[in-house]
Amino acid sequence: MTSRKPDEPLARNSRLRLVRPRSLATARRAATTRRTRPAPRPPEGTPPRAELARQARLVLADAVRIARWAAAPRGPQPGPRAATAPPSSASATGSSDASAPSATTAEQAAAALDLTPERVRAGWDRARLAGLVELHGATVRPGWRLQAWDRDDSAVLRGWVALLDAWSLVHPAPEGVAPGAVAEVVEAVPQVLSLLQLSQGPVLVPVLLDLLGQRVDELREERCEVPGDGAPAQPAPPAERLPALLDWALEGLAEVGALTLDGEDGPEGRHATLTPLGNWAVWVKLEQICVAAQSPAGNIEQSAADMLRGCARLTPGPARDEYRAWLAARPLAGAVAELLAAARGEDALLRGLAFEALRVVGAPAEAEVRAAVAEPSLRPYALLWLAEYEGTDPDDAQEVLTREEATWLWVDTAAAVADHGESELLVRHLDSAVQGTVPALLEEVRAVGHPRTVQVLVALAAAHPDPALAKAVRRAAFQVHTGTV
């Protein structure tokens, strides 16, 4: 620093790269001793990925056509980008968070694509849930998966899995059923799918009903909801509604291509069979859980905060595997809420890691991340997440931040480094600032009002080898602490 010319920038092509956990994983050498595990192979008979992607493209064929029509520029006529009608499909567990096509728009799309308006509405829902389109106010944009649809089998399969995860939004729940009963069935469905996957063939619906009833009873026992004021507990939903709810779940899963239902008029009644896509997806989720259970980290049963702390010492690839396994073991909506709660805490390292885990979630987390933009402590992270989600290169995503937001993020990242990193890393972090000079950086850091500013400046002053710069940083810390200029 002593050899730098007075007007020379702190760093060329300055980026806030340290917001990414790969820069905050200060003990990577520990990851080199991590036991390796050979790449697992799908069950015998599973089609190649190219064939699975072909089947996923067939399931989402209407959705892709509608997404491309909706995202195409077409002059001033109203399209789904200006639609304001209520969502066309929703369940008691939730609903779409953006507008569905109006009647006029659906008719326009139906005429253009030779589809019925009902298929247009269904395809529009699927396009949104699979991440093929993104709504930004009154504007429809093609999602990155749509742009990669014809060339990237992984993008196709991820889009279909996102649709599978949202199956309860595709098929409306039966009327007159309490939302709590619907939520219980949604939470119990993974066990039903696991039985189908392990059976490697058709399973009679009565067998699935027995399993569903047992799992729902377990969930109710785990909650053990006893009011603290002595009032009687709310009665559990009647068991006689479970057959209808199981039918709803199986039909919803069949609609997204995860299973088939056959034998309605046969002597043994109906039976369900996983499709190759469904069998592969369930195997992937089970494998993710097994990886977490067998790994040294073993974070599957931990809270979000403890899981993130366990992943802090991992390199990006193993960390993403842990995120996926942790997410696969719990309802997605609750997992997203728990990650954001961890991000709101005082540990800046967990804030960055939580948004890395949310990157693994993808489209289902979009609404919650957009809401987080309104929270000052989460805003920079949420803006970067959204920029990358919308297709911006990670190295260019920082351009969406204002100077003040970038400075706030620099301080927050420095706090994470000071708490969990090494002095050398904190000194290097100085060169990632967007300001051109140290005085400019210190001035803007003082003005941004981050609650950890004093601690960060004190730690930086203690770590920096340049006495003159360390003195300037200590003076800035004192001024922030005392409120003087």
Side-chain angles (χ1 to χ4, degrees):
M1 295 295 295
T2 55
S3 62
R4 180 180 288 115
K5 296 178 181 180
D7 296 329
E8 184 178 353
L10 290 178
R12 294 184 177 92
N13 298 324
S14 179
R15 304 288 188 191
L16 290 176
R17 297 185 189 279
L18 288 181
V19 70
R20 304 300 294 264
R22 57 176 171 267
S23 298
L24 297 179
T26 58
R28 291 187 181 183
R29 57 183 174 274
T32 61
T33 62
R34 181 184 175 91
R35 290 175 293 174
T36 58
R37 186 173 183 263
R41 294 184 178 182
E44 185 177 354
T46 301
R49 286 179 67 86
E51 172 59 20
L52 292 171
R54 186 192 69 80
Q55 295 177 17
R57 287 185 175 99
L58 288 176
V59 172
L60 286 162
D62 283 355
V64 170
R65 293 180 64 201
I66 293 165
R68 287 173 173 161
W69 179 87
R74 289 191 306 280
Q77 63 179 337
R81 55 178 54 78
T84 57
S88 58
S89 72
S91 78
T93 60
S95 62
S96 302
D97 64 330
S99 300
S102 65
T104 301
T105 301
E107 291 174 1
Q108 291 174 348
L113 302 174
D114 193 23
L115 300 172
T116 64
E118 291 73 19
R119 285 181 65 180
V120 167
R121 293 188 181 93
W124 175 249
D125 273 351
R126 292 182 177 208
R128 290 187 51 254
L129 294 170
L132 299 175
V133 292
E134 301 163 4
L135 269 69
H136 304 271
T139 302
V140 173
R141 297 178 187 170
W144 71 269
R145 285 180 182 142
L146 182 64
Q147 298 171 348
W149 196 255
D150 294 328
R151 68 178 188 275
D152 189 340
D153 289 345
S154 293
V156 173
L157 290 173
R158 289 179 182 179
W160 181 81
V161 170
L163 178 66
L164 173 63
D165 290 338
W167 69 266
S168 61
L169 301 179
V170 174
H171 190 59
E175 295 183 0
V177 180
V182 175
E184 287 177 337
V185 171
V186 171
E187 192 171 352
V189 157
Q191 279 67 32
V192 174
L193 292 174
S194 297
L195 175 61
L196 288 169
Q197 198 269 344
L198 294 172
S199 298
Q200 299 181 351
V203 178
L204 291 173
V205 171
V207 175
L208 299 177
L209 181 61
D210 288 342
L211 175 63
L212 179 67
Q214 293 173 18
R215 181 56 184 153
V216 168
D217 289 341
E218 290 173 357
L219 292 173
R220 292 171 183 170
E221 290 178 4
E222 290 171 3
R223 285 198 308 269
C224 190
E225 296 174 350
V226 179
D229 57 0
Q234 294 295 322
E240 57 265 22
R241 301 309 302 265
L242 282 181
L245 287 170
L246 176 62
D247 289 343
W248 162 68
L250 295 177
E251 290 165 3
L253 292 164
E255 281 193 26
V256 299
L259 55 80
T260 58
L261 283 168
D262 300 297
E264 186 143 3
D265 298 326
E268 296 183 347
R270 293 191 305 167
H271 55 266
T273 309
L274 287 179
T275 63
L277 267 177
N279 187 69
W280 167 80
V282 176
W283 171 79
V284 167
K285 292 181 181 295
L286 290 174
E287 183 62 27
Q288 289 171 348
I289 294 172
C290 291
V291 166
Q294 297 176 13
S295 71
N299 294 302
I300 188 171
E301 296 182 356
Q302 303 297 321
S303 66
D306 289 340
M307 180 272 294
L308 294 172
R309 291 188 186 94
C311 293
R313 300 176 67 87
L314 302 179
T315 51
R320 283 191 293 270
D321 289 341
E322 295 289 339
Y323 300 150
R324 292 190 184 100
W326 186 85
L327 291 164
R330 48 193 37 80
L332 200 54
V336 170
E338 194 174 346
L339 287 170
L340 286 172
R344 294 185 182 99
E346 296 182 358
D347 193 331
L349 177 63
L350 296 192
R351 206 159 12 255
L353 294 177
F355 277 87
E356 281 301 312
L358 290 170
R359 284 179 174 86
V360 174
V361 176
E366 181 186 4
E368 289 78 3
V369 173
R370 288 195 183 282
V373 170
E375 302 180 44
S377 65
L378 303 185
R379 179 178 175 82
Y381 295 93
L383 290 174
L384 291 176
W385 189 99
L386 291 168
E388 294 181 29
Y389 173 74
E390 292 165 4
T392 303
D393 187 277
D395 287 341
D396 298 327
Q398 290 81 6
E399 296 176 5
V400 305
L401 301 180
T402 66
R403 181 73 162 242
E404 182 179 2
E405 290 162 352
T407 302
W408 194 100
L409 185 58
W410 185 91
V411 179
D412 204 51
T413 306
V417 176
D419 290 343
H420 302 278
E422 300 171 353
S423 299
E424 182 181 353
L425 184 59
L426 185 60
V427 172
R428 291 204 305 268
H429 182 56
L430 182 64
D431 286 341
S432 71
V434 296
Q435 290 77 11
T437 65
V438 170
L441 170 64
L442 295 178
E443 181 180 355
E444 295 185 30
V445 165
R446 288 197 299 264
V448 80
H450 193 288
R452 295 290 305 279
T453 298
V454 173
Q455 293 92 330
V456 165
L457 293 178
V458 169
L460 180 58
H464 207 283
D466 186 332
L469 188 145
K471 181 178 179 180
V473 174
R474 278 195 300 271
R475 183 185 304 115
F478 177 78
Q479 291 170 342
V480 173
H481 178 65
T482 60
T484 58
V485 179

